[in-house]
Amino acid sequence: MSNLVIVESPSKAKTVQKYLGQGFEVAASMGHVRDLPKSKLGVDIENDFEPVYVPMKDKEEVIASLKKAAKKADKVYLAGDPDREGEAISWHLAQLLDIPMDAPVRVTFNEITKTGVQNGMAHPRSIDLDLVNAQQARRILDRIVGYKLSPFLWKKVRRGLSAGRVQSAAVKMIVDREKEINAFKPEEYWSIEAKMTAPSSKKQFDATFVGMDGAKTELHSESETNAVLARLEGAQFNVTGVKKSVRRKSPAAPFTTSTMQQEASKKLGFQTSKTMRAAQQLYEGVEIEGMGAVGLITYMRTDSLRVSDEARASAYKYIEEKYGKNYLPASPKVYKTKAGAQDAHEAIRPSTPELTPERVKDSLTPEQYKLYKLIWERFIASQMANALMDTVSVDIDANGCAFKATGYSVKFDGFTVLYEESKDDEENKVLPEINPGDVLKLKNIEGKQHFTQPPARYTEGSFIKAMEENGIGRPSTYASTISTIINRFYVERDGKQLKPTGLGEVTTDLLKAHFKQIVDTKFTAQMESSLDKIEIGEKDWVGTLKDFYGDFSDTLTKAETSMEGKRVKVPDEETDEVCEICGKPMVIKIGRFGRFLACTGFPECTNTKKIIKPTGGICPLCGKKILAKKSKKGKKYFGCEDNPTCPFMSWDTPVSDKCPKCNDGTTLFKKGGKMFCLKEGCGYEVAIKKEK
């Protein structure tokens, strides 16, 4: 008997094939095989939003191959990813391969391990039409917004623009944050910091002024601060109270999609798309030396914190063998999944905890290794005992002025021996032995001026957290949403920060004025909630689309009427560049292919040029700046700014380190695990220190 199992990718197919063995052929659909047509709406709005699906142009050969394989097979199993998209792909395949919708052919794998695959194959079910309808509703909703709203933006702002149900709300969040920053007015405040010693030790410690005459006191000016300092002249600093306690510090929960993306952004500097790409590879299977293809993590799109008993037992075994019984918790750690989360999958964890990062390191790419190490350590730590901190709080009085000093030290390191969240990285702050009644010796005291700070721009990590808190998008869409708003030039990266472009600000203001619901975070969150209810069968997908479309269509008609004959100008971004042809200033504009420099003398002067950023490196041939460039095929390389006069170019990346052998500021380059000098006759190279 022959069985055909259809998964989504070749790497997943290879891993699953290994566990199924003879009698099974595993093929890949390469993702979706059908979709709405690109050239038209593809949705019959008048006929209950009936979608018109067509085979995707680049999937014709794949479809033909799958049909041929299905005809030969006695049984076909549809094993797309265990989520809405995977269910929809399975539904499309069932229609193309003439498989009845009630046939038990749908199998899902939460992890691509022998156990995970065997469990999935042992429990086939029919296709879940609620899941399919939730995906269809999302796809049709996004298609309607995109196809109806984008032409409005073409007429009023610029051709080629796009609007989206989630992307437009996401851009508004970034635009609103920028407006907060620009409107922020800093306020002055002061602090008083004292350095003291106790009778028991010569080691200095810090104490901070907190109030006077029994009340908490805030200092808003230098004069207020000087008045307190004057009162403290010659004062005796007496210890009025010492409070000692033990603080328990609990480990963070294992990863969900959102927390994994946030932590990879903070700890590894990964962009969200890079994190999800590496996670997909780890889930689908990687060739491990001596083991073949192995799926290293559980499914990476989840907002559940649930952990299986088997995985917990494996973690306990490792913890006890590595650290000892006292590092096991008194009772199993159970983490509460937030309300409204989908609990179909476990938290993200290593599928085989015994496979430590070091065990598989040589078989992984650097990105895969770093992410696997992060996931593995986070999971193992989540199953470990709490850390215990000895804390001390000291109250000090000096002529009615109150100061406080705090200290802490690690009593038992617990889970922190392995992993801490990035925000928790801190050193011990140990106070000397201090007792009530001690008279402290003042070594130094000074007032310090401070100013309140504006809210920070979002990083990818903090933006994902904000989207999750606001209910914008879902774990499976965070990465694609960020990529979309950047690729469409509504948002740009400024270092690690996300900053709106002029185009993003103008478009958002236009949508806020005429399509308030589309950019409203609460409305977008309600829509996501409706889609979730369709998924569990609590809401009808056609009714949901009808409710949305009625208001949306009326709003679009009103907007087109009120904006008749009007256009919105995208502001140009000023630069210090001067046009080499006419001498006028150049500005940054956004065109179909991105940002470029244009002369303000247009139309008399039509000079334009690419924006090229210096790398900070110095050309080893002529000493001028090294610029990051792209070849005709889009591959990044580095070349001298004096091209074509200077022929220098390199595929290797310039770094901030300078060559110690040349000792003249010559830039070093890196490739693989080495840094080296490219200056003729030098030959210096050094291995890059590996991350611990």
Side-chain angles (χ1 to χ4, degrees):
M1 185 174 179
S2 64
N3 299 281
L4 174 66
V5 180
I6 303 176
V7 297
E8 288 172 306
S9 74
S11 57
K12 186 176 175 183
K14 187 176 182 180
T15 315
V16 172
Q17 182 75 69
K18 168 189 165 184
Y19 296 123
L20 292 179
Q22 291 184 341
F24 288 88
E25 179 189 352
V26 185
S29 70
M30 311 298 289
H32 278 276
V33 289
R34 293 198 312 178
D35 196 8
L36 299 172
K38 285 191 174 182
S39 56
K40 56 184 178 181
L41 180 62
V43 178
D44 188 349
I45 291 170
E46 304 302 322
N47 188 25
D48 285 345
F49 299 89
E50 184 71 29
V52 179
Y53 294 114
V54 296
M56 297 168 74
K57 283 186 178 178
D58 59 344
K59 296 295 177 67
E60 289 165 353
E61 285 186 20
V62 173
I63 292 169
S65 174
L66 292 175
K67 282 183 174 180
K68 188 177 178 182
K71 279 184 181 179
K72 290 181 184 176
D74 296 308
K75 180 94 177 183
V76 177
Y77 293 95
L78 305 173
D81 285 350
D83 58 13
R84 285 175 184 162
E85 295 299 321
E87 205 72 21
I89 290 170
S90 299
W91 179 74
H92 284 295
L93 285 168
Q95 292 200 325
L96 286 169
L97 303 177
D98 297 321
I99 298 172
M101 286 301 140
D102 58 353
V105 297
R106 176 73 170 120
V107 293
T108 57
F109 310 132
N110 187 53
E111 56 187 51
I112 313 298
T113 59
K114 186 174 184 179
T115 302
V117 170
Q118 288 177 345
N119 284 345
M121 294 302 295
H123 299 94
R125 58 170 172 80
S126 59
I127 290 170
D128 186 334
L129 293 178
D130 288 330
L131 265 178
V132 173
N133 288 336
Q135 191 275 343
Q136 283 200 107
R138 179 183 294 277
R139 184 74 186 94
I140 292 168
L141 198 57
D142 291 344
R143 172 55 66 97
I144 288 170
V145 172
Y147 264 68
K148 296 284 186 180
L149 198 49
S150 296
F152 175 79
L153 295 180
W154 299 352
K155 293 176 198 170
K156 305 306 167 192
V157 185
R158 200 192 68 218
R159 276 199 71 78
L161 294 184
S162 69
R165 181 181 58 84
V166 176
Q167 79 172 51
S168 297
V171 174
K172 179 181 177 288
M173 288 172 65
I174 293 170
V175 169
D176 286 349
R177 175 59 60 91
E178 195 72 12
K179 287 182 176 179
E180 281 182 62
I181 294 168
N182 293 335
F184 181 82
K185 292 181 179 176
E187 293 181 6
E188 182 182 13
Y189 69 97
W190 287 68
S191 66
I192 296 175
E193 308 291 333
K195 289 191 179 296
M196 306 178 184
T197 58
S200 64
S201 171
K202 292 182 179 180
K203 182 185 176 184
Q204 293 185 11
F205 64 92
D206 297 327
T208 302
F209 171 75
V210 291
M212 55 188 179
D213 300 327
K216 184 180 177 181
T217 306
E218 293 182 353
L219 303 173
H220 301 287
S221 66
E222 187 174 13
S223 59
E224 288 180 4
T225 305
N226 287 338
V228 176
L229 290 171
R231 181 170 169 173
L232 289 166
E233 284 183 18
Q236 183 171 285
F237 287 77
N238 303 304
V239 177
T240 57
V242 177
K243 184 180 178 183
K244 295 183 179 181
S245 61
V246 176
R247 179 167 67 90
R248 285 172 173 75
K249 189 175 181 182
S250 300
F255 282 135
T256 61
T257 306
S258 167
T259 54
M260 176 183 70
Q261 291 170 340
Q262 291 172 50
E263 197 75 345
S265 172
K266 286 188 284 186
K267 274 197 168 177
L268 307 179
F270 281 12
Q271 291 178 9
T272 314
S273 55
K274 185 176 186 177
T275 299
M276 294 309 289
R277 185 167 57 248
Q280 183 90 34
Q281 292 161 354
L282 292 172
Y283 163 71
E284 291 181 343
V286 180
E287 285 285 332
I288 303 299
E289 189 177 344
M291 298 180 69
V294 178
L296 288 175
I297 65 170
T298 53
Y299 192 54
M300 66 288 162
R301 293 189 179 94
T302 179
D303 47 11
S304 171
L305 294 175
R306 182 168 53 82
V307 170
S308 71
D309 292 339
E310 294 82 3
R312 183 178 287 110
S314 292
Y316 280 9
K317 183 182 177 187
Y318 175 84
I319 294 163
E320 186 173 349
E321 288 176 355
K322 175 74 175 176
Y323 300 107
K325 276 190 176 181
N326 56 330
Y327 281 84
L328 291 173
S331 58
K333 298 273 185 188
V334 178
Y335 298 94
K336 190 176 179 183
T337 299
K338 66 184 174 99
Q342 305 300 299
D343 198 41
H345 314 299
E346 288 186 60
I348 302 169
R349 62 166 176 80
S351 50
T352 309
E354 295 87 347
L355 287 177
T356 64
E358 288 308 309
R359 165 72 179 80
V360 299
K361 183 176 182 179
D362 291 341
S363 301
L364 304 181
T365 66
E367 289 77 18
Q368 289 170 346
Y369 168 71
K370 287 176 183 176
L371 186 62
Y372 182 66
K373 185 172 185 284
L374 195 70
I375 293 168
W376 188 90
E377 290 181 349
R378 173 85 163 219
F379 170 69
I380 297 294
S382 76
Q383 304 304 309
M384 293 176 76
N386 295 340
L388 300 178
M389 313 287 287
D390 280 327
T391 64
V392 182
S393 177
V394 180
D395 293 319
I396 303 160
D397 177 78
N399 193 20
C401 296
F403 284 76
K404 187 175 283 289
T406 57
Y408 50 85
S409 60
V410 176
K411 183 177 184 179
F412 173 61
D413 52 8
F415 73 93
T416 65
V417 72
L418 178 62
Y419 177 91
E420 286 193 77
E421 280 188 288
S422 50
K423 67 180 180 182
D424 291 331
D425 291 339
E426 51 191 27
E427 294 179 2
N428 286 354
K429 181 185 171 186
V430 183
L431 292 180
E433 183 64 32
I434 301 174
N435 298 298
D438 281 354
V439 177
L440 306 174
K441 186 176 288 186
L442 181 67
K443 293 295 185 180
N444 183 57
I445 189 166
E446 62 178 327
K448 293 183 179 180
Q449 184 185 38
H450 310 275
F451 291 93
T452 55
Q453 296 298 309
R457 283 185 181 141
Y458 291 114
T459 60
E460 285 202 16
S462 64
F463 187 54
I464 288 166
K465 186 178 182 182
M467 283 200 292
E468 184 179 36
E469 289 171 349
N470 283 282
I472 306 300
R474 283 295 178 263
S476 58
T477 63
Y478 297 145
S480 60
T481 298
I482 292 172
S483 295
T484 296
I485 63 179
I486 290 173
N487 292 340
R488 291 177 179 171
F489 310 111
Y490 292 124
V491 171
E492 62 184 352
R493 288 191 178 93
D494 185 1
K496 290 187 177 181
Q497 298 177 330
L498 299 176
K499 173 187 174 185
T501 62
L503 177 63
E505 291 177 338
V506 163
T507 306
T508 297
D509 288 343
L510 181 63
L511 292 176
K512 276 169 67 177
H514 298 282
F515 299 91
K516 192 176 179 182
Q517 283 190 326
I518 293 296
V519 292
D520 181 63
T521 51
K522 287 183 180 177
F523 176 78
T524 306
Q526 286 168 2
M527 206 70 227
E528 291 290 354
S529 179
S530 294
L531 293 168
D532 290 343
K533 287 178 180 177
I534 294 169
E535 184 170 315
I536 57 176
E538 289 184 2
K539 205 158 188 176
D540 175 61
W541 73 281
V542 174
T544 301
L545 290 173
K546 282 181 177 177
D547 290 343
F548 169 80
Y549 187 74
D551 288 339
F552 175 72
S553 182
D554 291 344
T555 302
L556 183 60
T557 302
K558 287 176 186 173
E560 286 174 335
T561 302
S562 66
M563 287 291 291
E564 184 68 40
K566 298 176 185 174
R567 281 187 72 84
V568 177
K569 184 175 179 353
V570 180
D572 297 328
E573 189 179 329
E574 293 182 2
T575 73
D576 54 7
E577 290 266 348
V578 175
C579 177
E580 64 271 25
I581 295 174
C582 72
K584 290 188 176 179
M586 298 195 84
V587 292
I588 295 174
K589 291 181 176 286
I590 300 175
R592 281 185 64 192
F593 304 106
R595 291 151 56 86
F596 64 95
L597 285 165
C599 181
T600 53
F602 183 85
E604 289 79 17
C605 179
T606 57
N607 184 27
T608 62
K609 56 185 180 180
K610 292 179 182 177
I611 298 172
I612 300 176
K613 292 184 179 179
T615 61
I618 302 299
C619 175
L621 296 186
C622 69
K624 293 194 175 178
K625 294 177 184 176
I626 296 173
L627 306 178
K629 302 184 178 186
K630 280 189 178 179
S631 68
K632 288 182 180 179
K633 292 186 178 179
K635 189 175 179 182
K636 191 174 182 180
Y637 72 95
F638 301 91
C640 182
E641 68 173 338
D642 200 24
N643 181 272
T645 306
C646 177
F648 173 77
M649 72 80 59
S650 177
W651 300 110
D652 305 324
T653 306
V655 296
S656 58
D657 301 63
K658 306 301 178 187
C659 178
K661 187 175 177 182
C662 293
N663 200 26
D664 59 359
T666 299
T667 299
L668 290 179
F669 290 74
K670 71 173 181 178
K671 184 178 183 181
K674 290 183 179 179
M675 287 194 301
F676 43 85
C677 181
L678 290 178
K679 196 166 186 177
E680 191 173 347
C682 176
Y684 173 81
E685 69 173 43
V686 65
I688 297 172
K689 289 181 181 178
K690 291 185 178 179
E691 241 183 70
K692 289 184 179 178

